[in-house]
Amino acid sequence: MDIKKLIYKSPALSGDYPDFKAETAPDDPFETFYEWFEHAVETGVVEPSAFMFSTVDGEGAPSSRIVNLRDMEADGFIIGSNAESRKGQDMQKNKNVAMTFYWREVGRQIRITGHAEAAPEELNRNDFIRRNPASKALSLTAKQSFELGSMEELEREMREAARQVKENPEAFKTWTLYKVIPSEMEFFQARKDLVHTRLKYERVDDGWKKMLLWP
């Protein structure tokens, strides 16, 4: 097995990338994020709202998974999760989290670090009500990341959860919205000549400090 040969059969950083003038980027990183996200959508990036979400448990062990961005506010990014899942339990013990967006088609990466805060119960209930029936049923099982005995067990639990949803559409239980409030945000624009552009925003007392980084 020679994985190195397979790696080099798929060259990295070979796309047609947009220009990014870091010097004229907004002073607010949320504005830059919105501009980049809008560009990703308009240029046909596949699943631009999907990102790597990393948490840390009470003993300092990291864990990562792909989730979807649900919304953005003036001070943070909104995601949803079962509070009893591994990431939910991690955030109860350690609020430090990281988000990584990677849009291969345009050679762009966004790295965000900060802390997560759970939304009030009423917001969680309202968000749950807006979800589709299958998503509601899955969240009602409240067993995400736990060991599963068989697919038959999963199907049985899902049928029971679907019944509960039909009887009570507001039975949200452990569904929780979290807001990730960044302390740092970095925007990476790839270039074919490898002279990549990296713009970092760092939270300071009176707003944000903006700086270029070496590639």
Side-chain angles (χ1 to χ4, degrees):
M1 184 185 301
D2 190 346
I3 195 170
K4 192 170 185 178
K5 286 184 178 180
L6 295 178
I7 291 172
Y8 281 95
K9 280 187 176 180
S10 301
L13 305 178
S14 58
D16 184 16
Y17 302 137
D19 290 330
F20 174 50
K21 303 298 183 184
E23 298 81 2
T24 60
D27 292 330
D28 185 338
F30 289 97
E31 293 182 24
T32 305
F33 181 91
Y34 187 86
E35 290 179 2
W36 276 34
F37 193 89
E38 184 177 37
H39 177 270
V41 172
E42 292 179 348
T43 54
V45 168
V46 177
E47 297 184 358
S49 61
F51 65 94
M52 182 73 72
F53 186 55
S54 302
T55 56
V56 182
D57 67 15
E59 298 180 354
S63 178
S64 298
R65 75 288 291 162
I66 301 296
V67 302
N68 284 306
L69 182 68
R70 295 184 65 81
D71 202 353
M72 184 178 78
E73 296 183 348
D75 62 342
F77 300 91
I78 308 299
I79 66 169
S81 176
N82 184 330
E84 295 183 0
S85 66
R86 175 165 180 176
K87 60 182 174 295
Q89 293 183 47
D90 284 355
M91 287 186 283
Q92 289 179 18
K93 299 170 184 175
N94 189 329
K95 295 185 181 300
N96 294 320
V97 298
M99 303 167 60
T100 305
F101 291 85
Y102 177 57
W103 299 326
R104 180 188 59 80
E105 297 91 334
V106 292
R108 286 181 167 179
Q109 180 179 207
I110 304 173
R111 298 171 58 200
I112 301 166
T113 56
H115 70 277
E117 296 182 352
E121 181 175 304
E122 187 60 26
L123 290 180
N124 297 330
R125 184 193 306 277
N126 291 338
D127 187 73
F128 180 85
I129 292 171
R130 290 193 294 267
R131 304 186 78 201
N132 65 63
S135 296
K136 288 180 179 180
L138 184 60
S139 66
L140 281 181
T141 64
K143 296 179 181 180
Q144 186 180 30
S145 299
F146 286 85
E147 184 177 354
L148 174 66
S150 66
M151 292 305 295
E152 289 75 15
E153 179 185 358
L154 173 59
E155 291 170 0
R156 184 172 61 253
E157 292 280 349
M158 286 291 287
R159 286 195 296 270
E160 172 59 21
R163 183 189 65 78
Q164 294 180 38
V165 167
K166 188 173 182 179
E167 292 179 356
N168 181 11
E170 298 186 20
F172 71 105
K173 289 186 177 179
T174 59
W175 179 252
T176 305
L177 293 178
Y178 296 89
K179 179 189 290 187
V180 176
I181 301 176
S183 55
E184 293 183 357
M185 295 175 64
E186 181 193 324
F187 297 82
F188 173 97
Q189 174 64 70
R191 286 176 42 169
K192 290 183 180 180
D193 60 7
L194 303 185
V195 186
H196 312 308
T197 303
R198 294 177 63 189
L199 177 63
K200 178 180 177 181
Y201 293 83
E202 187 175 282
R203 189 181 293 277
V204 293
D205 292 339
D206 58 348
W208 293 91
K209 177 182 178 182
K210 188 167 62 170
M211 67 192 82
L212 288 170
L213 301 179
W214 281 83

